[in-house]
Amino acid sequence: MTEATLAFTREDATREESRLVDLSALIGSLCDDLQDIGLNIECSVTERLPYVCRPVGLKRAVNNLLENACYYGGVAKIHVRQAADEVIISIRDNGPGIPEKDWQRVFDPFVRLEDSRNRNTGGIGLGMAIARSIVHAHGGDIYLQNLTPQGFEVQLRLPLQ
C-alpha cells in the first residue's frame, strides 16, 4: 500500500504538464491560503521568479513542508531565491530541530518522530516522503539542517531548465 501510494504520487507528479509559472506568486498564494486557516507563516517572496515546473505537484510539496514547520516549529518562514543554476526554497521554523541520525528516516513512509498518535500534532508520516518524491520528479532534492541556537531548515533545490 505504501509503495502504491508513493508510486501514485510520483506518477501524478510526472503526469502533470510542466509549464512556466511565477514561482513567487505560486508560493505567495499558498502562504495566503495557509495563513487564512490560521497557520503562522512568514512569507518573503516578492520578486517575480519565472520557473518551468509542474505547479500542482510543487505546491503540494511546499504545502507539506510549510505545515510541518508550523506544527513542529511554531512558525514557517519561507524564502525563495535564484542561484546560478538552481532555485532554492528555504523553509525555517523555531522548533527543536531533528537529530541528524533521523534525517534520512524522516523521508520514509509513515515515519513520525513525534511519538503521539494524536492527529492534532501531525499527520500519518507521508508528507516528507511525498515532498521528496515530487522534488525528485522535478530533478531536485531536499536538504535538512539544524539551526543554532534553535530551529530547523528544509531547503528544496530545484534545477533551472
Side-chain angles (χ1 to χ4, degrees):
M1 185 172 87
T2 303
E3 287 303 317
T5 300
L6 292 175
F8 175 77
T9 301
R10 273 190 294 276
E11 287 174 30
D12 195 36
T14 57
R15 200 173 343 174
E16 180 187 359
E17 289 291 321
S18 292
R19 62 185 175 94
L20 181 64
V21 299
D22 178 353
L23 192 56
S24 293
L26 181 131
I27 290 175
S29 71
L30 174 61
C31 290
D32 289 343
D33 292 345
L34 293 173
Q35 287 168 338
D36 286 347
I37 63 169
L39 295 183
N40 188 2
I41 309 266
E42 295 177 15
C43 189
S44 59
V45 288
T46 54
E47 290 186 29
R48 188 174 185 284
L49 181 55
Y51 188 72
V52 176
C53 66
R54 298 174 190 96
V56 173
L58 194 55
K59 194 171 183 178
R60 181 182 306 147
V62 173
N63 182 83
N64 288 352
L65 299 172
L66 286 171
E67 286 182 348
N68 280 353
C70 288
Y71 294 142
Y72 299 109
V75 62
K77 302 170 190 170
I78 186 166
H79 179 74
V80 180
R81 68 181 172 90
Q82 182 175 332
D85 60 349
E86 65 186 352
V87 170
I88 302 168
I89 303 170
S90 300
I91 301 169
R92 292 181 172 205
D93 66 41
N94 294 334
I98 296 175
E100 203 168 326
K101 67 179 179 59
D102 292 324
W103 285 3
Q104 287 306 310
R105 205 168 71 94
V106 297
F107 293 107
D108 292 341
F110 303 113
V111 168
R112 290 185 60 199
L113 298 181
E114 192 269 328
D115 293 331
S116 160
R117 294 183 184 260
N118 182 346
R119 290 272 298 140
N120 292 328
T121 61
I124 60 172
L126 284 176
M128 294 289 282
I130 289 170
R132 181 183 247 181
S133 180
I134 291 168
V135 170
H136 280 177
H138 282 83
D141 210 347
I142 297 180
Y143 299 89
L144 308 177
Q145 176 181 342
N146 285 313
L147 303 174
T148 305
Q150 173 177 321
F152 193 69
E153 180 179 42
V154 177
Q155 279 192 359
L156 286 76
R157 292 179 172 250
L158 302 164
L160 291 172
Q161 286 78 19

